[in-house]
C-alpha cells in the first residue's frame, strides 16, 4: 500500500511541475532558420555574419528551438534551407528566422543576397536574390507567432553595381533596408515581429570583436528568463546605441496578439501572507511603482522607435531620473549634432547619406576585405586613374601603393594609415568609378596603336646568296691546273647603213650602194 501511495505522490508532483510556466519552452514546437553569409564572391568578405549565425543558433538551441542552420550559402543553398524551414515550421507554435549578411533595398522592397550573387542587371533581383516577402510567406499560419530578425543593413557594394544598371526611370537603391509594415488584420491571435539591426535606411556596424554589437546583445537578452521579447529588444536597442555612441539604433515593428517569451517565464511568486491594516499604504505604494514603471517603459519604447528630439525631450520631462534618462540624453546629443553630408552622383540617381564617424584603417581591417590579386590590380588602377604616382598595376601593394593610399586618405579627411577599411575601400571605388573608365579606355587606345605600329608592313628584301669559301685543297688544284680561257664570241658586224648592202671580196666584206650588184672579181670598183 505504501508503494502505491509513493507512485501516486510522484505522479502528482510531476503533473504540478508540468503546469509551471515555461515548462513547455522546449517541447519541440519551436523552429528557427539561421543563416550567416560572410564569404561573398563578388563583394568584399564580411568579418562577422558567420560567427554571428553560430552564436544565434546556439542561443536558440538552448531556448528549445529546432535550428536549421546555414553558413555562406549560395542561391541554391538559401532556397533549400528556406523550403526546409517552411515545411518544418508549418504546425509550430513559434517560428523564427535570423539572417546576417548583405541585404539591399530597391524601390522600397528588401532583398537578401546569397554569396554567389553577381548583380549587374535589374532582372537579377528576381533570379539571384531572396526577397524578404518570401521569408514572411514561409512563417506558419495563425495562431503561431512568427519572428524575423535581420542583421543585413551593412554597407553594400553590390547595391552600387546594380544601381549602375537600373534604368533612369526607376528609383535608385538606398542604403540599409526599407521598413516593413505589418497589418494587424493579417496576423490574427498569433502575430508577427520584425527586428532590424538599425533604423530603416541606416547602416549597421560589425564592431571590433568576433560578433557584431547587435547579435552580441541579442544573445544576451533574447532568451533571458522572464523577459518578454519586446522588452528584450528594447534592452538591445539601448545597449547597441550606447556602444556605438548613437550611430546604430536597432528597430523593431510588431503586431502580436499575446506576450512572447523565448526564454523561460519567471515563476509566479506565492501570495504574501495577510498583513495588518497599517501596512496597506505600503502595498498601495508598491502597486503605484509597478504601474509607473510600465508607463515609463511604454513612453521609452515610443521615443526610441520614433527617434526624434521631441519624443526624447517628452520622455525626459516626464521621467527626468528614469531608467533610460542617460541614454535619452545621449541620443538627444547625437540628434542635435550637425550632420555631415556626403553627396554622390551616379547615372541613375542622386543620393544623400549621413557619413558615420571614420574608423582608422589597419592591416586587420584591410585583410578583412579579402582582396585577391586581381582586386589589388584594380585598386592600383583606380589610384593611377585618380592621379597618384605608382610604377604600375602589378598586384603588389608596395611602398608607392601604400603612399598613394595614405595621400588619398589624407585628401578625404581620413586618418592616413596607408591601410584601408571596408568602408574606405567602397568609398574609393565609388569616387574613382568615372575616372577609371576614362583611364582604361586610354590604356586600351594606346595598346591598340602600339599593336598597329608593330604590325605595319615592311619592305621585303631579297635575300643575298651566301658565298662560301672553297676548300683549300680545291683552291690548290685549280691553281695547278688553270682552266682555259673561254673563247670570245666574234663581234657582230656593224649595223648596215641605210641604202647600202654588203658584198664579200678578196679583202673581206665591203658595202656598195643597194642599187648595184656585187662585182664578180671580188674587188670594189666604185
Amino acid at each position: 500500500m505504501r508503494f502505491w501511495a509513493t507512485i501516486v505522490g510522484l505522479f502528482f508532483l510531476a503533473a504540478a511541475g508540468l503546469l509551471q510556466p515555461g515548462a513547455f519552452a522546449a517541447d519541440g514546437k519551436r523552429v528557427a532558420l539561421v543563416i550567416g553569409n560572410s564569404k561573398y564572391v563578388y563583394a568584399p568578405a564580411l568579418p562577422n555574419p558567420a560567427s554571428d549565425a553560430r552564436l544565434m543558433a546556439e542561443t536558440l538551441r538552448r531556448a528549445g528551438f529546432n535550428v536549421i542552420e546555414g553558413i555562406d550559402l549560395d542561391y541554391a543553398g538559401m532556397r533549400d534551407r528556406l523550403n526546409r524551414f517552411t515545411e518544418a515550421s508549418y504546425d509550430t507554435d513559434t517560428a523564427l528566422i535570423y539572417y546576417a549578411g548583405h541585404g539591399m533595398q530597391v524601390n522600397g522592397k528588401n532583398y537578401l543576397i546569397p554569396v554567389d550573387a553577381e548583380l549587374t542587371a535589374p532582372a537579377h533581383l528576381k533570379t539571384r536574390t531572396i526577397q524578404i516577402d518570401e521569408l514572411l510567406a514561409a512563417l506558419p499560419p495563425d495562431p503561431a507567432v512568427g519572428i524575423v530578425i535581420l542583421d543585413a543593413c551593412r554597407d553594400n557594394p553590390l547595391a552600387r553595381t546594380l544601381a549602375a544598371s537600373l534604368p533612369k526611370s526607376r528609383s535608385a537603391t538606398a542604403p540599409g533596408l526599407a521598413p516593413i509594415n505589418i497589418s494587424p488584420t493579417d496576423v490574427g491571435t498569433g502575430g508577427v515581429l520584425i527586428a532590424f539591426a538599425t533604423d530603416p535606411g541606416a547602416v549597421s556596424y560589425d564592431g571590433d570583436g568576433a560578433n557584431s554589437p547587435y547579435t552580441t546583445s541579442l544573445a544576451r537578452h533574447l532568451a533571458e528568463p522572464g523577459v518578454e521579447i519586446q522588452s528584450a529588444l528594447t534592452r538591445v536597442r539601448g545597449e547597441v546605441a550606447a556602444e556605438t555612441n548613437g550611430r546604430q539604433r536597432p528597430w523593431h515593428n510588431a503586431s502580436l496578439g499575446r506576450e512572447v517569451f523565448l526564454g523561460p517565464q519567471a515563476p509566479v511568486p506565492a501570495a504574501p501572507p495577510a498583513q495588518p491594516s497599517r501596512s496597506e499604504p505600503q502595498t498601495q505604494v508598491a502597486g503605484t511603482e509597478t504601474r509607473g514603471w510600465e508607463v515609463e517603459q511604454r513612453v521609452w519604447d515610443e521615443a526610441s522607435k520614433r527617434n526624434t528630439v521631441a519624443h526624447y525631450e517628452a520622455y525626459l520631462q516626464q521621467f527626468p531620473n528614469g531608467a533610460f534618462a542617460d541614454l535619452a540624453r545621449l541620443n538627444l546629443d547625437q540628434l542635435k549634432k550637425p550632420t555631415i553630408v556626403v553627396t554622390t552622383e551616379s547615372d541613375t540617381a542622386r543620393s544623400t547619406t549621413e557619413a558615420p564617424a571614420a574608423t582608422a584603417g589597419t592591416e586587420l581591417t584591410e585583410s578583412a576585405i579579402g582582396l585577391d590579386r586581381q582586386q589589388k590590380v584594380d585598386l592600383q588602377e583606380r589610384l593611377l586613374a585618380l592621379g597618384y604616382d605608382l610604377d604600375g598595376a602589378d598586384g603588389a601593394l608596395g611602398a608607392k601603393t601604400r603612399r598613394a593610399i595614405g595621400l588619398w586618405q589624407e585628401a578625404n579627411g581620413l586618418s592616413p594609415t596607408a591601410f584601408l577599411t571596408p568602408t574606405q575601400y567602397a568609398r574609393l571605388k565609388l569616387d574613382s568609378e568615372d575616372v577609371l573608365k576614362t583611364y582604361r579606355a586610354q590604356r586600351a587606345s594606346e595598346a591598340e596603336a602600339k599593336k598597329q605600329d608593330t604590325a605595319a608592313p615592311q619592305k621585303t628584301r631579297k635575300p643575298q646568296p651566301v658565298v662560301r669559301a672553297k676548300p683549300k685543297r680545291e683552291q690548290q688544284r685549280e691553281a695547278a691546273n688553270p682552266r682555259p680561257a673561254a673563247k670570245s664570241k666574234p663581234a657582230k658586224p656593224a649595223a648596215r647603213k641605210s641604202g647600202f648592202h654588203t658584198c664579200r671580196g678578196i679583202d673581206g666584206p665591203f658595202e656598195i650602194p643597194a642599187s648595184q650588184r656585187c662585182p664578180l672579181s671580188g674587188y670594189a670598183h666604185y
Side-chain angles (χ1 to χ4, degrees), residues 126-189:
K126 296 182 178 181
T127 59
R128 302 183 184 182
T129 67
I130 305 295
Q131 192 171 340
I132 290 183
D133 291 348
E134 298 180 60
L135 303 188
L136 298 177
L139 296 175
D142 186 68
V145 172
I147 302 166
V148 179
I149 302 175
L150 301 172
D151 192 358
C153 310
R154 294 165 169 84
D155 182 44
N156 187 358
L158 292 171
R160 292 189 291 273
T161 303
L162 179 67
S165 67
L166 289 174
K168 293 184 178 180
S169 59
R170 296 183 64 175
S171 60
T173 59
L177 297 178
I180 301 174
N181 297 320
I182 304 171
S183 174
T185 58
D186 296 337
V187 296
T189 59

Side-chain angles (χ1 to χ4, degrees), residues 78-98:
M78 289 187 69
R79 280 284 174 200
D80 173 68
R81 300 302 193 284
L82 185 59
N83 291 339
R84 287 167 53 187
F85 170 79
T86 304
E87 296 171 357
S89 66
Y90 189 78
D91 58 350
T92 57
D93 294 331
T94 305
L96 185 147
I97 299 175
Y98 171 87

Side-chain angles (χ1 to χ4, degrees), residues 60 131 185-186 278-279 285 395 417 458 496:
L60 294 171
Q131 192 171 340
T185 58
D186 296 337
R278 62 184 179 182
S279 64
V285 171
T417 63
Q458 298 180 353
R496 230 176 344 183

Side-chain angles (χ1 to χ4, degrees), residues 366-367 369-384 390 392-398 401-402 405 420 425 440:
E366 188 168 288
S367 64
I369 301 175
L371 296 175
D372 58 23
R373 185 181 181 282
Q374 186 57 42
Q375 289 173 321
K376 290 178 181 178
V377 171
D378 176 78
L379 172 62
Q380 291 175 317
E381 288 183 343
R382 291 176 184 276
L383 291 170
L384 287 167
L390 274 74
D394 56 0
L397 303 185
T401 303
R402 291 296 173 196
I405 293 174
L420 295 170
Y425 177 63
R440 286 179 174 170

